[in-house]
Amino acid sequence: MASPSFGTSFQTFGDPVPSGPVVISVPHGGRAYPAEMVAALRVPVAAVTALEDRLIDLVGIAAQGDEPMLVQTTPRAWIDLNRDERERDALIDEGATMAPRASAKLRSGLGLVPRRVAGHGDIWTRRFADAEIVARIKNDHRPYHSALAERLAAARARFGVAVLLDLHSMPPLGAPGLVPRIVIGDRHGTTAATRFVRRVEAEARGGGFAVTRNAPYAGGHIVERHGDPRRGIHAIQLELDRSLYLDAALEAPGPGFDATVALVCRILSALAAEALGQPTAMAAE
């Protein structure tokens, strides 16, 4: 794994000129809370940490080999990179004067800047000025997506194909064995060729995990924006149950952390193998 370098609000790993076709995105692991954000909260910081994909960045960093990878460091509560920049919430955003992109997530308070968090309700003491949100878009949202697009374009230029693995985590959905522990999202077949989804699914099932496609998470803005199978860029969102790699309190790495990292490593190898037309065993050598 290469040493990280830093963008305005994210770390980059690996060479921007890729040695393989796979690129990794980790947009919801950030936990560096800006002082100006903390000052505007009406709830404790601990309440908004529920918006994080708790410590999923550690899984991504441990699993990453030579793949280019972006890891957001500022938190999702500051700005959600997995939302379209037009998903601005007029209830907290004075600049949201135009009709916003009315997604279900936005209506539920989880727009570009989240307004609510489960169990705590509204999280802000005030509305934000247009200039504040525009600054976050320019300084945080656009640079991340630009860097991601550049890496995918470089991979496609070199290999004729690129594959984005957008890494997330989800709260446990119920009793183990009765519900999926892993959810693969490809926006219902629109952001990646089925063969890539099948390879991810095979690795998950081979590890003994219950897995579903697109339910309850079909993939968000990142895979929708960057996935373009007709142009040779395939994008998959991977949701991992947090109990797979965290402790019982879902706060710190737990006994399953190493096994989860190994699973993600196998998925990365399988995606590279599929992209290059190789059997998985050959790609791992």
Side-chain angles (χ1 to χ4, degrees):
M1 180 183 71
S3 298
S5 60
F6 294 84
T8 52
S9 59
F10 59 92
Q11 294 175 280
T12 64
F13 296 80
D15 193 331
V17 179
S19 59
V22 179
V23 177
I24 308 167
S25 167
V26 187
H28 284 168
R31 51 189 177 277
Y33 287 84
E36 62 189 279
M37 172 187 162
V38 174
L41 288 172
R42 64 174 294 274
V43 296
V45 172
V48 296
T49 62
L51 293 167
E52 298 173 10
D53 286 353
R54 185 67 175 170
L55 302 184
I56 193 62
D57 57 306
L58 300 186
V59 174
I61 291 168
Q64 183 252 357
D66 295 330
E67 300 90 356
M69 179 170 67
L70 304 185
V71 177
Q72 181 75 348
T73 54
T74 52
R76 180 183 178 187
W78 177 254
I79 191 166
D80 191 339
L81 302 179
N82 206 25
R83 298 289 179 265
D84 190 298
E85 65 180 60
R86 296 169 293 177
E87 292 184 80
R88 297 174 60 170
D89 190 335
L91 293 178
I92 57 166
D93 180 351
E94 293 178 356
T97 55
M98 297 176 62
R101 189 180 185 198
S103 68
K105 293 292 188 181
L106 175 57
R107 291 192 296 270
S108 68
L110 294 176
L112 181 68
V113 173
R115 171 171 48 86
R116 298 175 55 82
V117 65
H120 296 275
D122 291 344
I123 61 177
W124 303 111
T125 59
R126 63 180 178 87
R127 297 177 75 204
F128 297 104
D130 175 63
E132 293 179 272
I133 303 303
V134 168
R136 296 185 199 184
I137 292 170
K138 290 182 176 179
N139 296 334
D140 304 311
H141 194 277
R142 289 180 183 171
Y144 188 94
H145 283 278
S146 178
L148 191 55
E150 289 172 1
R151 284 153 178 76
L152 289 167
R156 186 188 59 180
R158 184 170 183 183
F159 300 99
V161 62
V163 185
L164 170 62
L165 185 69
D166 193 41
L167 186 60
H168 295 255
S169 72
M170 61 186 185
L173 299 176
L178 300 178
V179 295
R181 310 295 298 284
I182 296 172
V183 178
I184 303 166
D186 65 352
R187 303 289 294 183
H188 303 284
T190 62
T191 66
T194 302
R195 61 192 177 96
F196 291 104
V197 177
R198 286 175 177 165
R199 290 296 283 263
V200 176
E201 192 172 49
E203 292 298 330
R205 293 192 189 282
F209 301 109
V211 58
T212 62
R213 297 187 195 180
N214 296 308
Y217 307 105
H221 174 64
I222 289 176
V223 296
E224 182 181 36
R225 174 171 177 167
H226 295 282
D228 191 349
R230 292 174 297 178
R231 296 177 55 245
I233 300 178
H234 305 266
I236 293 172
Q237 179 174 293
L238 184 68
E239 294 272 3
L240 302 175
D241 184 323
R242 287 174 200 150
S243 66
L244 293 178
Y245 65 93
L246 295 178
D247 60 12
L250 302 181
E251 286 292 334
F257 182 86
D258 289 344
T260 304
V261 170
L263 170 64
V264 176
C265 287
R266 293 195 301 272
I267 288 172
L268 292 170
S269 293
L271 289 172
E274 187 63 36
L276 300 174
Q278 300 172 350
T280 303
M282 289 179 61
E285 291 176 355

